[in-house]
Amino acid sequence: MKHRYSLAQLIALPFSPPEMVQLAADTGCAAAGIRLLPTTPGGLHYPLMDNPAMLRETLARMEATGVEILDLEVLRINADFDVHAYRRFLEVGAKLKARHILVAGDDPDPLRLTASFAALCDAAQPYGLTADLEFMPWTQVPDVQAAARIVGGAARPNGGVLVDALHFARCGSSLDDVSALSPQWLHYGQICDGPMPGPDSVEGLIHAARCERMLPGEGAIGLAGLFARLPAGLPISIEVPSETRAPAMGYAAWARKAIEGAQATLE
């Protein structure tokens, strides 16, 4: 295969980190992503920083299966961001030998957001982690160009831009904007599908992104053209949440269909 595949936490949000590792193993994926921090206040997450028993179980399941942790979610940079508050998060990431931190930008001050992102990169580097800024249309980093300005302004060797197929299709950026990104910034990508055009409200965009995506190949996003603009062999996180279809089908069966769709699209 051209790509190394990982199951994103959103494909099975009710699964704890050890269960995500096992799901990846059972479906033939090399890696999994896990949500250590909530994407919204009170949102479901698994703070291994505060749960040493679950951390031990996750490490044991990784050892038994050979599955790795690709990325840690979701570190949101807001106006009050204090990098020192994330030391234990970074320490757990190092214990898991995770590779990337998924970062969202919520600070409306671009200069402060850039400085905070640079500080995060500096803090993450000794732990072997990259910081990958994901553009999302409803955040303060709404498109490819905004992410490039912040990552370029921070100018850190472990800083990156995360390209999510759904957000790209919704943000108004072009394929040429993706091609203009430095290959050194592209550590992994996220695949899913969806209808085109997408929702016409912020609420609709958020609901589609977090709750109801389509399997690769089911929708109208030009996935092959997008991923052709990204580096060959880029690790791929399969992020296809569905609060209706996945529980009805069973998360393992849903994950297998998502993997099959990704492979049919990219291989």
Side-chain angles (χ1 to χ4, degrees):
M1 291 188 293
K2 297 177 183 178
H3 298 277
R4 179 173 174 268
Y5 292 97
S6 175
L7 291 181
Q9 177 75 74
L10 271 182
I11 207 165
L13 185 57
F15 279 36
S16 67
E19 291 171 331
M20 282 300 301
V21 169
Q22 191 63 53
L23 181 63
D26 292 346
T27 55
C29 275
I34 56 177
R35 179 162 291 186
L36 301 189
L37 299 169
T39 191
T40 58
L44 183 58
H45 65 295
Y46 304 94
L48 296 182
M49 305 79 71
D50 306 319
N51 192 334
M54 186 178 284
L55 175 59
R56 287 193 298 271
E57 185 182 356
T58 304
L59 291 167
R61 205 74 66 93
M62 292 170 63
E63 177 69 22
T65 62
V67 169
E68 300 177 354
I69 300 300
L70 181 70
D71 62 338
L72 307 174
E73 302 180 359
V74 179
L75 200 157
R76 307 195 75 94
I77 298 178
N78 57 27
D80 301 320
F81 178 75
D82 176 9
V83 71
H84 302 292
Y86 296 93
R87 179 180 58 83
R88 292 174 61 213
F89 170 88
L90 297 172
E91 290 173 348
V92 166
K95 288 180 181 178
L96 294 167
K97 297 182 180 178
R99 300 191 180 196
H100 315 298
I101 303 168
L102 191 158
V103 182
D106 296 328
D107 189 341
D109 182 330
L111 293 179
R112 186 172 55 204
L113 177 54
T114 301
S116 294
F117 182 75
L120 174 61
C121 290
D122 291 343
Q125 189 167 26
Y127 296 96
L129 290 158
T130 69
D132 295 83
L133 184 60
E134 183 175 15
F135 57 90
M136 301 175 232
W138 61 87
T139 69
Q140 298 298 324
V141 187
D143 53 31
V144 175
Q145 302 96 311
R149 284 193 296 271
I150 292 164
V151 175
R156 294 302 193 268
N158 61 329
V161 175
L162 176 56
V163 177
D164 177 309
L166 189 74
H167 300 324
F168 170 75
R170 304 283 189 258
C171 77
S173 295
S174 69
L175 290 173
D176 287 342
D177 293 326
V178 174
S179 294
L181 294 171
S182 169
Q184 295 178 344
W185 294 349
L186 297 167
H187 303 129
Y188 70 114
Q190 290 183 325
I191 193 170
C192 67
D193 213 335
M196 292 294 292
D200 58 4
S201 69
V202 170
E203 293 77 12
L205 290 169
I206 292 173
H207 181 267
R210 295 176 180 168
C211 305
E212 291 295 341
R213 302 193 189 197
M214 299 175 75
L215 298 167
E218 283 188 336
I221 297 173
L223 296 174
L226 171 61
F227 283 89
R229 301 294 184 109
L230 300 175
L234 190 74
I236 300 298
S237 172
I238 302 172
E239 187 173 59
V240 192
S242 175
E243 292 185 350
T244 56
R245 298 169 70 190
M249 183 181 298
Y251 287 101
W254 179 252
R256 288 189 181 97
K257 282 191 168 292
I259 295 163
E260 290 168 2
Q263 291 174 338
T265 300
L266 301 180
E267 304 294 339

PDB file of all heavy atoms in Angstrom, residues 141-181:
ATOM      1  N   VAL A 141      -8.722  29.825  12.360  1.00  0.00           N
ATOM      2  CA  VAL A 141      -7.851  29.350  11.270  1.00  0.00           C
ATOM      3  C   VAL A 141      -8.780  28.689  10.254  1.00  0.00           C
ATOM      4  O   VAL A 141      -8.905  27.463  10.201  1.00  0.00           O
ATOM      5  CB  VAL A 141      -6.795  28.360  11.789  1.00  0.00           C
ATOM      6  CG1 VAL A 141      -5.791  28.018  10.688  1.00  0.00           C
ATOM      7  CG2 VAL A 141      -6.064  28.930  13.003  1.00  0.00           C
ATOM      8  N   PRO A 142      -9.456  29.510   9.428  1.00  0.00           N
ATOM      9  CA  PRO A 142     -10.573  28.991   8.640  1.00  0.00           C
ATOM     10  C   PRO A 142     -10.188  28.280   7.347  1.00  0.00           C
ATOM     11  O   PRO A 142     -11.012  27.553   6.786  1.00  0.00           O
ATOM     12  CB  PRO A 142     -11.392  30.245   8.329  1.00  0.00           C
ATOM     13  CG  PRO A 142     -10.378  31.340   8.305  1.00  0.00           C
ATOM     14  CD  PRO A 142      -9.363  30.983   9.350  1.00  0.00           C
ATOM     15  N   ASP A 143      -8.950  28.499   6.867  1.00  0.00           N
ATOM     16  CA  ASP A 143      -8.615  27.942   5.561  1.00  0.00           C
ATOM     17  C   ASP A 143      -7.123  27.654   5.460  1.00  0.00           C
ATOM     18  O   ASP A 143      -6.350  27.885   6.402  1.00  0.00           O
ATOM     19  CB  ASP A 143      -9.065  28.884   4.446  1.00  0.00           C
ATOM     20  CG  ASP A 143      -8.549  30.314   4.611  1.00  0.00           C
ATOM     21  OD1 ASP A 143      -7.442  30.494   5.173  1.00  0.00           O
ATOM     22  OD2 ASP A 143      -9.256  31.255   4.186  1.00  0.00           O
ATOM     23  N   VAL A 144      -6.729  27.127   4.306  1.00  0.00           N
ATOM     24  CA  VAL A 144      -5.335  26.722   4.088  1.00  0.00           C
ATOM     25  C   VAL A 144      -4.393  27.909   4.251  1.00  0.00           C
ATOM     26  O   VAL A 144      -3.328  27.804   4.889  1.00  0.00           O
ATOM     27  CB  VAL A 144      -5.174  26.101   2.687  1.00  0.00           C
ATOM     28  CG1 VAL A 144      -3.700  25.781   2.405  1.00  0.00           C
ATOM     29  CG2 VAL A 144      -6.024  24.843   2.545  1.00  0.00           C
ATOM     30  N   GLN A 145      -4.771  29.040   3.676  1.00  0.00           N
ATOM     31  CA  GLN A 145      -3.886  30.206   3.710  1.00  0.00           C
ATOM     32  C   GLN A 145      -3.646  30.678   5.146  1.00  0.00           C
ATOM     33  O   GLN A 145      -2.514  31.053   5.499  1.00  0.00           O
ATOM     34  CB  GLN A 145      -4.475  31.347   2.869  1.00  0.00           C
ATOM     35  CG  GLN A 145      -4.724  30.971   1.406  1.00  0.00           C
ATOM     36  CD  GLN A 145      -6.161  30.544   1.147  1.00  0.00           C
ATOM     37  OE1 GLN A 145      -6.718  29.708   1.874  1.00  0.00           O
ATOM     38  NE2 GLN A 145      -6.759  31.118   0.100  1.00  0.00           N
ATOM     39  N   ALA A 146      -4.679  30.693   5.967  1.00  0.00           N
ATOM     40  CA  ALA A 146      -4.524  31.128   7.357  1.00  0.00           C
ATOM     41  C   ALA A 146      -3.592  30.179   8.120  1.00  0.00           C
ATOM     42  O   ALA A 146      -2.739  30.630   8.896  1.00  0.00           O
ATOM     43  CB  ALA A 146      -5.885  31.191   8.046  1.00  0.00           C
ATOM     44  N   ALA A 147      -3.761  28.879   7.905  1.00  0.00           N
ATOM     45  CA  ALA A 147      -2.880  27.914   8.564  1.00  0.00           C
ATOM     46  C   ALA A 147      -1.438  28.112   8.113  1.00  0.00           C
ATOM     47  O   ALA A 147      -0.502  28.058   8.935  1.00  0.00           O
ATOM     48  CB  ALA A 147      -3.350  26.500   8.268  1.00  0.00           C
ATOM     49  N   ALA A 148      -1.236  28.361   6.838  1.00  0.00           N
ATOM     50  CA  ALA A 148       0.116  28.552   6.323  1.00  0.00           C
ATOM     51  C   ALA A 148       0.762  29.797   6.917  1.00  0.00           C
ATOM     52  O   ALA A 148       1.963  29.798   7.217  1.00  0.00           O
ATOM     53  CB  ALA A 148       0.081  28.643   4.796  1.00  0.00           C
ATOM     54  N   ARG A 149      -0.015  30.860   7.087  1.00  0.00           N
ATOM     55  CA  ARG A 149       0.552  32.080   7.672  1.00  0.00           C
ATOM     56  C   ARG A 149       1.024  31.833   9.108  1.00  0.00           C
ATOM     57  O   ARG A 149       2.099  32.305   9.512  1.00  0.00           O
ATOM     58  CB  ARG A 149      -0.493  33.198   7.647  1.00  0.00           C
ATOM     59  CG  ARG A 149      -0.710  33.814   6.282  1.00  0.00           C
ATOM     60  CD  ARG A 149      -1.506  35.113   6.366  1.00  0.00           C
ATOM     61  NE  ARG A 149      -2.853  34.909   6.874  1.00  0.00           N
ATOM     62  CZ  ARG A 149      -3.914  34.637   6.106  1.00  0.00           C
ATOM     63  NH1 ARG A 149      -3.767  34.516   4.801  1.00  0.00           N
ATOM     64  NH2 ARG A 149      -5.112  34.490   6.655  1.00  0.00           N
ATOM     65  N   ILE A 150       0.235  31.095   9.876  1.00  0.00           N
ATOM     66  CA  ILE A 150       0.604  30.860  11.280  1.00  0.00           C
ATOM     67  C   ILE A 150       1.781  29.910  11.376  1.00  0.00           C
ATOM     68  O   ILE A 150       2.756  30.174  12.096  1.00  0.00           O
ATOM     69  CB  ILE A 150      -0.621  30.323  12.044  1.00  0.00           C
ATOM     70  CG1 ILE A 150      -1.677  31.427  12.153  1.00  0.00           C
ATOM     71  CG2 ILE A 150      -0.215  29.831  13.437  1.00  0.00           C
ATOM     72  CD1 ILE A 150      -3.037  30.916  12.523  1.00  0.00           C
ATOM     73  N   VAL A 151       1.733  28.809  10.664  1.00  0.00           N
ATOM     74  CA  VAL A 151       2.836  27.840  10.720  1.00  0.00           C
ATOM     75  C   VAL A 151       4.111  28.453  10.139  1.00  0.00           C
ATOM     76  O   VAL A 151       5.209  28.271  10.689  1.00  0.00           O
ATOM     77  CB  VAL A 151       2.444  26.538   9.999  1.00  0.00           C
ATOM     78  CG1 VAL A 151       3.623  25.570   9.938  1.00  0.00           C
ATOM     79  CG2 VAL A 151       1.265  25.876  10.707  1.00  0.00           C
ATOM     80  N   GLY A 152       3.980  29.208   9.060  1.00  0.00           N
ATOM     81  CA  GLY A 152       5.149  29.873   8.499  1.00  0.00           C
ATOM     82  C   GLY A 152       5.695  30.944   9.416  1.00  0.00           C
ATOM     83  O   GLY A 152       6.908  31.105   9.555  1.00  0.00           O
ATOM     84  N   GLY A 153       4.797  31.691  10.082  1.00  0.00           N
ATOM     85  CA  GLY A 153       5.242  32.710  11.010  1.00  0.00           C
ATOM     86  C   GLY A 153       5.928  32.133  12.229  1.00  0.00           C
ATOM     87  O   GLY A 153       6.894  32.702  12.744  1.00  0.00           O
ATOM     88  N   ALA A 154       5.442  30.986  12.704  1.00  0.00           N
ATOM     89  CA  ALA A 154       6.068  30.333  13.854  1.00  0.00           C
ATOM     90  C   ALA A 154       7.438  29.788  13.490  1.00  0.00           C
ATOM     91  O   ALA A 154       8.362  29.814  14.314  1.00  0.00           O
ATOM     92  CB  ALA A 154       5.171  29.210  14.372  1.00  0.00           C
ATOM     93  N   ALA A 155       7.561  29.269  12.271  1.00  0.00           N
ATOM     94  CA  ALA A 155       8.853  28.810  11.729  1.00  0.00           C
ATOM     95  C   ALA A 155       9.555  27.831  12.670  1.00  0.00           C
ATOM     96  O   ALA A 155      10.716  28.001  13.007  1.00  0.00           O
ATOM     97  CB  ALA A 155       9.756  30.009  11.423  1.00  0.00           C
ATOM     98  N   ARG A 156       8.833  26.783  13.049  1.00  0.00           N
ATOM     99  CA  ARG A 156       9.398  25.754  13.907  1.00  0.00           C
ATOM    100  C   ARG A 156       9.517  24.453  13.118  1.00  0.00           C
ATOM    101  O   ARG A 156       8.640  24.120  12.320  1.00  0.00           O
ATOM    102  CB  ARG A 156       8.532  25.532  15.145  1.00  0.00           C
ATOM    103  CG  ARG A 156       8.477  26.733  16.093  1.00  0.00           C
ATOM    104  CD  ARG A 156       9.854  27.146  16.588  1.00  0.00           C
ATOM    105  NE  ARG A 156       9.815  28.065  17.705  1.00  0.00           N
ATOM    106  CZ  ARG A 156       9.831  29.392  17.609  1.00  0.00           C
ATOM    107  NH1 ARG A 156       9.848  29.975  16.405  1.00  0.00           N
ATOM    108  NH2 ARG A 156       9.817  30.148  18.707  1.00  0.00           N
ATOM    109  N   PRO A 157      10.584  23.695  13.337  1.00  0.00           N
ATOM    110  CA  PRO A 157      10.793  22.491  12.524  1.00  0.00           C
ATOM    111  C   PRO A 157       9.748  21.404  12.734  1.00  0.00           C
ATOM    112  O   PRO A 157       9.570  20.549  11.856  1.00  0.00           O
ATOM    113  CB  PRO A 157      12.185  22.007  12.960  1.00  0.00           C
ATOM    114  CG  PRO A 157      12.406  22.616  14.310  1.00  0.00           C
ATOM    115  CD  PRO A 157      11.698  23.930  14.281  1.00  0.00           C
ATOM    116  N   ASN A 158       9.075  21.415  13.875  1.00  0.00           N
ATOM    117  CA  ASN A 158       8.045  20.407  14.125  1.00  0.00           C
ATOM    118  C   ASN A 158       6.637  20.973  14.004  1.00  0.00           C
ATOM    119  O   ASN A 158       5.674  20.337  14.433  1.00  0.00           O
ATOM    120  CB  ASN A 158       8.239  19.771  15.511  1.00  0.00           C
ATOM    121  CG  ASN A 158       8.123  20.784  16.646  1.00  0.00           C
ATOM    122  OD1 ASN A 158       8.453  21.954  16.479  1.00  0.00           O
ATOM    123  ND2 ASN A 158       7.677  20.334  17.816  1.00  0.00           N
ATOM    124  N   GLY A 159       6.490  22.134  13.397  1.00  0.00           N
ATOM    125  CA  GLY A 159       5.172  22.706  13.132  1.00  0.00           C
ATOM    126  C   GLY A 159       4.634  22.207  11.811  1.00  0.00           C
ATOM    127  O   GLY A 159       5.382  22.012  10.845  1.00  0.00           O
ATOM    128  N   GLY A 160       3.326  21.998  11.741  1.00  0.00           N
ATOM    129  CA  GLY A 160       2.746  21.500  10.509  1.00  0.00           C
ATOM    130  C   GLY A 160       1.320  21.968  10.304  1.00  0.00           C
ATOM    131  O   GLY A 160       0.703  22.561  11.182  1.00  0.00           O
ATOM    132  N   VAL A 161       0.812  21.702   9.097  1.00  0.00           N
ATOM    133  CA  VAL A 161      -0.570  21.974   8.717  1.00  0.00           C
ATOM    134  C   VAL A 161      -1.253  20.632   8.493  1.00  0.00           C
ATOM    135  O   VAL A 161      -0.732  19.777   7.767  1.00  0.00           O
ATOM    136  CB  VAL A 161      -0.656  22.821   7.436  1.00  0.00           C
ATOM    137  CG1 VAL A 161      -2.110  22.980   6.988  1.00  0.00           C
ATOM    138  CG2 VAL A 161      -0.013  24.181   7.639  1.00  0.00           C
ATOM    139  N   LEU A 162      -2.404  20.444   9.119  1.00  0.00           N
ATOM    140  CA  LEU A 162      -3.180  19.224   8.922  1.00  0.00           C
ATOM    141  C   LEU A 162      -4.291  19.497   7.917  1.00  0.00           C
ATOM    142  O   LEU A 162      -5.145  20.360   8.144  1.00  0.00           O
ATOM    143  CB  LEU A 162      -3.762  18.750  10.255  1.00  0.00           C
ATOM    144  CG  LEU A 162      -4.683  17.527  10.184  1.00  0.00           C
ATOM    145  CD1 LEU A 162      -3.986  16.336   9.532  1.00  0.00           C
ATOM    146  CD2 LEU A 162      -5.191  17.165  11.576  1.00  0.00           C
ATOM    147  N   VAL A 163      -4.280  18.746   6.823  1.00  0.00           N
ATOM    148  CA  VAL A 163      -5.298  18.872   5.780  1.00  0.00           C
ATOM    149  C   VAL A 163      -6.353  17.789   6.004  1.00  0.00           C
ATOM    150  O   VAL A 163      -6.071  16.591   5.883  1.00  0.00           O
ATOM    151  CB  VAL A 163      -4.682  18.737   4.376  1.00  0.00           C
ATOM    152  CG1 VAL A 163      -5.778  18.807   3.309  1.00  0.00           C
ATOM    153  CG2 VAL A 163      -3.640  19.833   4.140  1.00  0.00           C
ATOM    154  N   ASP A 164      -7.550  18.222   6.348  1.00  0.00           N
ATOM    155  CA  ASP A 164      -8.716  17.357   6.495  1.00  0.00           C
ATOM    156  C   ASP A 164      -9.568  17.551   5.246  1.00  0.00           C
ATOM    157  O   ASP A 164      -9.921  18.673   4.892  1.00  0.00           O
ATOM    158  CB  ASP A 164      -9.479  17.759   7.764  1.00  0.00           C
ATOM    159  CG  ASP A 164     -10.755  16.963   7.991  1.00  0.00           C
ATOM    160  OD1 ASP A 164     -11.584  16.857   7.062  1.00  0.00           O
ATOM    161  OD2 ASP A 164     -10.955  16.473   9.118  1.00  0.00           O
ATOM    162  N   ALA A 165      -9.919  16.457   4.582  1.00  0.00           N
ATOM    163  CA  ALA A 165     -10.623  16.557   3.306  1.00  0.00           C
ATOM    164  C   ALA A 165     -11.934  17.331   3.427  1.00  0.00           C
ATOM    165  O   ALA A 165     -12.274  18.135   2.545  1.00  0.00           O
ATOM    166  CB  ALA A 165     -10.885  15.159   2.754  1.00  0.00           C
ATOM    167  N   LEU A 166     -12.682  17.095   4.515  1.00  0.00           N
ATOM    168  CA  LEU A 166     -13.967  17.783   4.655  1.00  0.00           C
ATOM    169  C   LEU A 166     -13.775  19.282   4.835  1.00  0.00           C
ATOM    170  O   LEU A 166     -14.456  20.083   4.195  1.00  0.00           O
ATOM    171  CB  LEU A 166     -14.741  17.212   5.847  1.00  0.00           C
ATOM    172  CG  LEU A 166     -16.189  17.696   5.952  1.00  0.00           C
ATOM    173  CD1 LEU A 166     -17.073  17.016   4.897  1.00  0.00           C
ATOM    174  CD2 LEU A 166     -16.758  17.444   7.335  1.00  0.00           C
ATOM    175  N   HIS A 167     -12.856  19.665   5.695  1.00  0.00           N
ATOM    176  CA  HIS A 167     -12.627  21.095   5.924  1.00  0.00           C
ATOM    177  C   HIS A 167     -12.089  21.767   4.662  1.00  0.00           C
ATOM    178  O   HIS A 167     -12.453  22.913   4.372  1.00  0.00           O
ATOM    179  CB  HIS A 167     -11.657  21.297   7.083  1.00  0.00           C
ATOM    180  CG  HIS A 167     -12.146  20.720   8.372  1.00  0.00           C
ATOM    181  ND1 HIS A 167     -13.465  20.740   8.739  1.00  0.00           N
ATOM    182  CD2 HIS A 167     -11.482  20.100   9.387  1.00  0.00           C
ATOM    183  CE1 HIS A 167     -13.606  20.152   9.922  1.00  0.00           C
ATOM    184  NE2 HIS A 167     -12.418  19.761  10.330  1.00  0.00           N
ATOM    185  N   PHE A 168     -11.233  21.067   3.921  1.00  0.00           N
ATOM    186  CA  PHE A 168     -10.752  21.649   2.666  1.00  0.00           C
ATOM    187  C   PHE A 168     -11.921  21.916   1.719  1.00  0.00           C
ATOM    188  O   PHE A 168     -12.011  22.981   1.106  1.00  0.00           O
ATOM    189  CB  PHE A 168      -9.740  20.717   1.989  1.00  0.00           C
ATOM    190  CG  PHE A 168      -9.407  21.155   0.595  1.00  0.00           C
ATOM    191  CD1 PHE A 168      -8.576  22.237   0.383  1.00  0.00           C
ATOM    192  CD2 PHE A 168      -9.982  20.524  -0.503  1.00  0.00           C
ATOM    193  CE1 PHE A 168      -8.299  22.682  -0.914  1.00  0.00           C
ATOM    194  CE2 PHE A 168      -9.710  20.947  -1.802  1.00  0.00           C
ATOM    195  CZ  PHE A 168      -8.864  22.037  -1.998  1.00  0.00           C
ATOM    196  N   ALA A 169     -12.824  20.953   1.607  1.00  0.00           N
ATOM    197  CA  ALA A 169     -13.944  21.100   0.684  1.00  0.00           C
ATOM    198  C   ALA A 169     -14.895  22.215   1.085  1.00  0.00           C
ATOM    199  O   ALA A 169     -15.633  22.737   0.251  1.00  0.00           O
ATOM    200  CB  ALA A 169     -14.705  19.776   0.596  1.00  0.00           C
ATOM    201  N   ARG A 170     -14.870  22.598   2.362  1.00  0.00           N
ATOM    202  CA  ARG A 170     -15.813  23.597   2.867  1.00  0.00           C
ATOM    203  C   ARG A 170     -15.201  24.992   3.025  1.00  0.00           C
ATOM    204  O   ARG A 170     -15.932  25.949   3.290  1.00  0.00           O
ATOM    205  CB  ARG A 170     -16.333  23.172   4.248  1.00  0.00           C
ATOM    206  CG  ARG A 170     -16.970  21.788   4.294  1.00  0.00           C
ATOM    207  CD  ARG A 170     -18.370  21.803   3.710  1.00  0.00           C
ATOM    208  NE  ARG A 170     -19.048  20.526   3.942  1.00  0.00           N
ATOM    209  CZ  ARG A 170     -19.188  19.579   3.019  1.00  0.00           C
ATOM    210  NH1 ARG A 170     -18.684  19.773   1.801  1.00  0.00           N
ATOM    211  NH2 ARG A 170     -19.831  18.452   3.281  1.00  0.00           N
ATOM    212  N   CYS A 171     -13.877  25.121   2.916  1.00  0.00           N
ATOM    213  CA  CYS A 171     -13.230  26.362   3.355  1.00  0.00           C
ATOM    214  C   CYS A 171     -12.990  27.385   2.252  1.00  0.00           C
ATOM    215  O   CYS A 171     -12.641  28.531   2.543  1.00  0.00           O
ATOM    216  CB  CYS A 171     -11.901  26.044   4.048  1.00  0.00           C
ATOM    217  SG  CYS A 171     -10.540  25.621   2.926  1.00  0.00           S
ATOM    218  N   GLY A 172     -13.136  26.993   1.007  1.00  0.00           N
ATOM    219  CA  GLY A 172     -12.942  27.944  -0.083  1.00  0.00           C
ATOM    220  C   GLY A 172     -11.531  28.021  -0.617  1.00  0.00           C
ATOM    221  O   GLY A 172     -11.273  28.766  -1.576  1.00  0.00           O
ATOM    222  N   SER A 173     -10.602  27.294  -0.033  1.00  0.00           N
ATOM    223  CA  SER A 173      -9.242  27.270  -0.563  1.00  0.00           C
ATOM    224  C   SER A 173      -9.185  26.394  -1.818  1.00  0.00           C
ATOM    225  O   SER A 173     -10.095  25.602  -2.088  1.00  0.00           O
ATOM    226  CB  SER A 173      -8.263  26.731   0.490  1.00  0.00           C
ATOM    227  OG  SER A 173      -8.193  27.596   1.604  1.00  0.00           O
ATOM    228  N   SER A 174      -8.093  26.521  -2.557  1.00  0.00           N
ATOM    229  CA  SER A 174      -7.960  25.803  -3.816  1.00  0.00           C
ATOM    230  C   SER A 174      -6.913  24.693  -3.713  1.00  0.00           C
ATOM    231  O   SER A 174      -6.097  24.665  -2.781  1.00  0.00           O
ATOM    232  CB  SER A 174      -7.550  26.772  -4.926  1.00  0.00           C
ATOM    233  OG  SER A 174      -6.211  27.218  -4.719  1.00  0.00           O
ATOM    234  N   LEU A 175      -6.908  23.822  -4.687  1.00  0.00           N
ATOM    235  CA  LEU A 175      -5.869  22.790  -4.759  1.00  0.00           C
ATOM    236  C   LEU A 175      -4.495  23.417  -4.889  1.00  0.00           C
ATOM    237  O   LEU A 175      -3.506  22.891  -4.347  1.00  0.00           O
ATOM    238  CB  LEU A 175      -6.144  21.840  -5.919  1.00  0.00           C
ATOM    239  CG  LEU A 175      -7.347  20.911  -5.766  1.00  0.00           C
ATOM    240  CD1 LEU A 175      -7.583  20.149  -7.062  1.00  0.00           C
ATOM    241  CD2 LEU A 175      -7.144  19.950  -4.605  1.00  0.00           C
ATOM    242  N   ASP A 176      -4.400  24.541  -5.579  1.00  0.00           N
ATOM    243  CA  ASP A 176      -3.102  25.217  -5.698  1.00  0.00           C
ATOM    244  C   ASP A 176      -2.638  25.734  -4.337  1.00  0.00           C
ATOM    245  O   ASP A 176      -1.434  25.763  -4.065  1.00  0.00           O
ATOM    246  CB  ASP A 176      -3.194  26.363  -6.699  1.00  0.00           C
ATOM    247  CG  ASP A 176      -3.277  25.873  -8.140  1.00  0.00           C
ATOM    248  OD1 ASP A 176      -2.928  24.704  -8.387  1.00  0.00           O
ATOM    249  OD2 ASP A 176      -3.719  26.656  -9.003  1.00  0.00           O
ATOM    250  N   ASP A 177      -3.564  26.131  -3.477  1.00  0.00           N
ATOM    251  CA  ASP A 177      -3.185  26.536  -2.119  1.00  0.00           C
ATOM    252  C   ASP A 177      -2.572  25.363  -1.363  1.00  0.00           C
ATOM    253  O   ASP A 177      -1.609  25.528  -0.609  1.00  0.00           O
ATOM    254  CB  ASP A 177      -4.405  27.058  -1.351  1.00  0.00           C
ATOM    255  CG  ASP A 177      -4.946  28.356  -1.922  1.00  0.00           C
ATOM    256  OD1 ASP A 177      -4.151  29.178  -2.410  1.00  0.00           O
ATOM    257  OD2 ASP A 177      -6.182  28.541  -1.883  1.00  0.00           O
ATOM    258  N   VAL A 178      -3.130  24.182  -1.553  1.00  0.00           N
ATOM    259  CA  VAL A 178      -2.572  22.985  -0.913  1.00  0.00           C
ATOM    260  C   VAL A 178      -1.192  22.683  -1.476  1.00  0.00           C
ATOM    261  O   VAL A 178      -0.246  22.386  -0.739  1.00  0.00           O
ATOM    262  CB  VAL A 178      -3.524  21.784  -1.095  1.00  0.00           C
ATOM    263  CG1 VAL A 178      -2.886  20.502  -0.571  1.00  0.00           C
ATOM    264  CG2 VAL A 178      -4.842  22.038  -0.387  1.00  0.00           C
ATOM    265  N   SER A 179      -1.055  22.772  -2.785  1.00  0.00           N
ATOM    266  CA  SER A 179       0.244  22.502  -3.412  1.00  0.00           C
ATOM    267  C   SER A 179       1.317  23.469  -2.938  1.00  0.00           C
ATOM    268  O   SER A 179       2.511  23.131  -2.924  1.00  0.00           O
ATOM    269  CB  SER A 179       0.128  22.584  -4.938  1.00  0.00           C
ATOM    270  OG  SER A 179      -0.689  21.557  -5.436  1.00  0.00           O
ATOM    271  N   ALA A 180       0.912  24.682  -2.554  1.00  0.00           N
ATOM    272  CA  ALA A 180       1.876  25.694  -2.124  1.00  0.00           C
ATOM    273  C   ALA A 180       2.404  25.434  -0.714  1.00  0.00           C
ATOM    274  O   ALA A 180       3.388  26.068  -0.306  1.00  0.00           O
ATOM    275  CB  ALA A 180       1.232  27.081  -2.195  1.00  0.00           C
ATOM    276  N   LEU A 181       1.775  24.538   0.038  1.00  0.00           N
ATOM    277  CA  LEU A 181       2.252  24.232   1.388  1.00  0.00           C
ATOM    278  C   LEU A 181       3.617  23.541   1.316  1.00  0.00           C
ATOM    279  O   LEU A 181       3.844  22.682   0.463  1.00  0.00           O
ATOM    280  CB  LEU A 181       1.260  23.320   2.113  1.00  0.00           C
ATOM    281  CG  LEU A 181      -0.111  23.912   2.430  1.00  0.00           C
ATOM    282  CD1 LEU A 181      -1.046  22.821   2.932  1.00  0.00           C
ATOM    283  CD2 LEU A 181       0.008  25.042   3.447  1.00  0.00           C
TER     284      LEU A 181
END
